[in-house]
Amino acid sequence: MATDLHFLGIAELSRLLHTKQISPVELTRTYLERADRMDRVPFALPADHSVDTGGQLASIITLVREGALAAAHAAEREIVAGRVLSPLHGIPYGVKDLLDSAGVRTTWGSRIFMDRVPTRDSNVVARLARAGAVLMAKMSMAEFAGGNTSTARNPWKLDRSSMGSSSGTVVATVAGLIAFGIGSETGGSIVLPAATVGATGLRPTFGRVGRSGCMALSWSLDKLGPVARSAEDCGLVLDAIAGFDADDASSLDRPFRFRPEPVSLRGRKVAIHRPEFEAIDNPENRRLFDGALDVLRQQGVLFEDVQLPGDRPYGDIFSNITNVESAAAFRGLFEDGRIDGMFPYNWSRRAGWQAASMAPAADYITAQRIRQLIIRETDALMARYDAIVAPTYVTGAPLRDAPVQPPIPPPPSGPPSGGSGRGMPRINSIGNLVGLPGLNLPIGFDADGLPLCMQIVGPAWQDQGVLDLAMAFQRDTDWHLRRPAYPFRP
């Protein structure tokens, strides 16, 4: 059993722990040993993503070895005494390294903050501690949650991208270095990296998960959410981290209680964003995506084709809002000159923030007003459906060193198209602008053995409905159970 512990889901691990068939200390040591074997690198982290990792995954910035073992021993004593706090009690996890953790360095993925050690836990870390989960690692990320990658290598093929600033979290989860992780998303940084490695990743409704103690990139767009082995696991984690956060002005008091029991999907209306499916030009990939829809159709889901409104400058709106809000968030780095310590690959973002700091306030206000129109239009569309689906990414992960890749977070109209900010609207991007819940789940593998994934987006606050669809799909498929072979393919 011990060799398989690192790939078990939360529900099964919880059963084994709480029936005392394994101990939290044994489980934590299993993950620590695996991380030592697969993730240790011969250079200091954070580091430029172009460095040679020596075949290691480089998904962890800080391994919280002593703290994790201490927490595991405490969990063991509590469980033995019959005080089980939650399904997460005794289970090791990792958080993207922009969430504060008391006494453990939190670098925001930047050498500027290489030695930053918070004195308080972030809201999410504190909630997970109250649930009895074991903080084991702070995960690699793109510097300041931007750029198109981090040091983390794709475990399915090391020369492929792990796309996006939550890449360390998704890589370590799929490779079995942690049982689950917490990522952040502004424009796609949970669901898109999850798609490249075949993880199940959930972007909750904006305001569902409190963000106090978390680095701000764009205060009106940032979301925090779980990455795990399955939709059920994501629901169990969301149950622990959701709730009102008095120190986060965007937090809303909308109670969430996860329901893992199967429900009937018969009669549920789901929209297919047909243009994104039509964009799949590989026939075999197209067959796999069509097959994923058939799985839900056989469970009684009623599908209708829809096309999202294409006459809004989604890319321009997203870029204006994120650049202005990021410029405000990082203003202090410009004022004292520390901004010069940013990695060279990120200098274009530095230039964008500097320009945005001088942009007319009227442009930002106009962008937010147009965003409100987008929210109104999208809410009206979503009111007709239980969810809308589309490919998360139409191919397997692109080459890591490809000269052109969609930036992460991506412009909501997709890859650059002449700078107009217009193009095919994408449900991931509009979902982020509107603040809708979205979940990435694997639906197959391409000819090169790389995961293909679909995203399910639901109406605001219908996180459970999104999880219902994903759990039903995963009960009839096993794509989410597939694991990359080790040694990893170069």
Side-chain angles (χ1 to χ4, degrees), residues 85-167:
L85 301 179
S86 81
L88 307 184
H89 200 175
I91 296 181
Y93 74 99
V95 296
K96 186 173 179 177
D97 202 33
L98 46 58
L99 282 160
D100 282 354
S101 46
V104 179
R105 70 171 182 162
T106 303
T107 70
W108 300 357
S110 176
R111 57 190 174 187
I112 297 171
F113 295 108
M114 191 84 165
D115 300 315
R116 177 180 177 272
V117 179
T119 58
R120 295 178 57 188
D121 283 336
S122 59
N123 171 68
V124 165
V125 171
R127 284 179 175 272
L128 288 170
R130 290 196 293 272
V134 175
L135 176 61
M136 195 193 94
K138 305 300 289 293
M139 312 313 299
S140 300
M141 55 180 283
E143 185 179 34
F144 300 131
N148 68 352
T149 189
S150 73
T151 57
R153 272 24 182 191
N154 192 318
W156 293 98
K157 203 167 187 298
L158 297 176
D159 69 344
R160 298 306 175 109
S161 176
S162 56
M163 289 178 73
S165 68
S166 297
S167 50

Side-chain angles (χ1 to χ4, degrees), residues 56-67:
Q56 298 289 287
L57 291 177
S59 68
I60 297 172
I61 289 180
T62 302
L63 195 62
V64 193
R65 188 185 307 277
E66 292 182 5

Side-chain angles (χ1 to χ4, degrees), residues 438-456:
L439 184 142
N440 175 80
L441 76 168
I443 57 90
F445 289 81
D446 69 8
D448 197 19
L450 298 169
L452 296 172
C453 294
M454 182 171 72
Q455 186 173 170
I456 302 171

